[in-house]
Amino acid sequence: MLRLHEFRFHRPGSLEEAVALLREHDGDVMPIAGGTDLMPNMKHRLFTPGHVVSLRHVPELRGIESTGGELVIGAAETLSVISADVRVRRHAPSLAKATGLVAGPQLRNMGTIGGNLCLDTRCTYYNQTWFWRQALGFCLKKDGHVCHVTKVGRKCVAAHSADSPPVLITLGASVDLVSADGRRNVAVEDLFITDGIHNTVRRPDEVLARVRIPLPGGGLRTGFEKLRQRNAIDFPLLNVAVAVGVAEGDTVESISVVVSALGSRPRMITGLDRIAIGQRFDDDLVDAIAERAHQQCHPLANITVDVEWRRAMVPVHVRRALRGLVPAPPLAN
Ligand SMILES: Cc1cc2nc3c(=O)[nH]c(=O)nc-3n(C[C@H](O)[C@H](O)[C@H](O)COP(=O)(O)OP(=O)(O)OC[C@H]3O[C@@H](n4cnc5c(N)ncnc54)[C@H](O)[C@@H]3O)c2cc1C
Ligand code: SF4
């Protein structure tokens, strides 16, 4: 049986109290929301904080509203609530789809959007028990000095494995990060860095409080596709989010394609403006975009699934996401 280590559990009733606790115990504290990722990770001794601060009873982190041209989602809202919410389904159908495909139903009932955005990266050599890791030899991300994936270098390439961030990037969303010093707003596109050990710019004393999604313009169509071993529960082996602005006559006005679950941060496919803007949105264009994504994506052996197959699945899923685009109509708040 895997047991938790001893720690002190705090249950603040306000955001102010929560960030004060994170500041007071800086270096030996972690926030917890649904606990669906942090709990197993603590049982595997990947994290052993002396203090754990629960965000579940913080009212400022709850609620979904469309106001001031934005859809604002509290970080402690669960994935089940978000995927079923009528405003999310209407304004951001790709987010409703992605949150509805995370893990399985029980995990979505507990797991939150804040926890999804702050999810630890994953790797075959890392998400294992202490005994397993010790038997092989620890790695760079936790307790060791070598990367078992690259074998060389001092860089961890564990996979960003969350489903909502790629979608939020294509929607131009941002997040509010709150600490005892105040609040800052960071675009989701800038939240992630290429570092498998700690892949966000969020400081340990900051709480991700809200997600802000600009209400889309009339012609925006969005999509999401996910590859995993068992559709009922597994983490992504690959996910693809797309958003295409289409004008009258099916002409492309804007395009954003983000692929994730391959490296340590979601990857925005570049150079699409050049091949897509002003063009008709047809099968030839879809093929050209899929080919471009294939050229730019190079999965690593951080997950126990054939690397070449994962790469070959990139254009397949980009095509599926583009062919399944759903319009997101603007509407009054
Ligand atoms: C079997 C299984 C399958 C899974 N499949 C998927 C999947 O397909 N796709 C996917 O995306 N995820 C998957 N997950 C991971 C997880 O369930 C989800 O990502 C979930 O959204 C995490 O949210 P949580 O509230 O439970 O996070 P927690 O476990 O509570 O926290 C996760 C991390 O985020 C930090 N954190 C949480 N909330 C905040 C906040 N508001 N501010 C700052 N830091 C915060 C915590 O300190 C911790 O480091 C799976 C998990 C399991 C066990
Ligand atoms: S990518 Fe390398 S350093 Fe990172 S978790 Fe995997 S084995 Fe460890």
Side-chain angles (χ1 to χ4, degrees), residues 224-285:
F224 176 80
E225 288 295 327
K226 171 171 179 174
L227 173 69
R228 51 181 167 172
Q229 277 164 315
R230 296 165 299 179
N231 277 335
I233 190 154
D234 279 327
F235 279 92
L237 301 172
L238 163 74
N239 57 28
V240 176
V242 295
V244 184
V246 183
E248 249 175 65
D250 252 6
T251 308
V252 175
E253 276 185 323
S254 65
I255 181 154
S256 168
V257 176
V258 177
V259 177
S260 197
L262 302 179
S264 301
R265 58 155 294 161
R267 170 183 280 271
M268 172 89 77
I269 304 304
T270 58
L272 294 183
D273 282 5
R274 203 157 18 87
I275 58 172
I277 303 294
Q279 301 298 314
R280 230 179 109 70
F281 188 71
D282 57 16
D283 281 352
D284 287 345
L285 184 60

Side-chain angles (χ1 to χ4, degrees), residues 60-64 72-78 82 113-114 209-211:
E60 295 96 318
L61 303 183
R62 303 313 284 250
I64 302 178
V72 182
I73 303 176
E77 284 300 334
T78 66
I82 293 166
I113 187 106
R210 277 168 293 274
V211 181

Side-chain angles (χ1 to χ4, degrees), residues 135-195:
L136 179 77
F138 296 116
C139 80
L140 208 56
K141 183 160 158 79
K142 181 67 182 156
D143 300 329
H145 304 286
V146 65
C147 172
H148 300 305
V149 174
T150 60
K151 316 281 185 208
V152 292
R154 308 258 331 132
K155 197 157 184 186
C156 168
V157 293
H160 175 265
S161 304
D163 287 311
S164 73
V167 171
L168 290 169
I169 293 172
T170 60
L171 298 178
S174 64
V175 293
D176 290 345
L177 298 177
V178 178
S179 72
D181 300 328
R183 177 183 85 98
R184 61 181 177 132
N185 181 263
V186 177
V188 178
E189 190 182 343
D190 300 329
L191 182 66
F192 299 99
I193 52 176
T194 322
D195 176 0

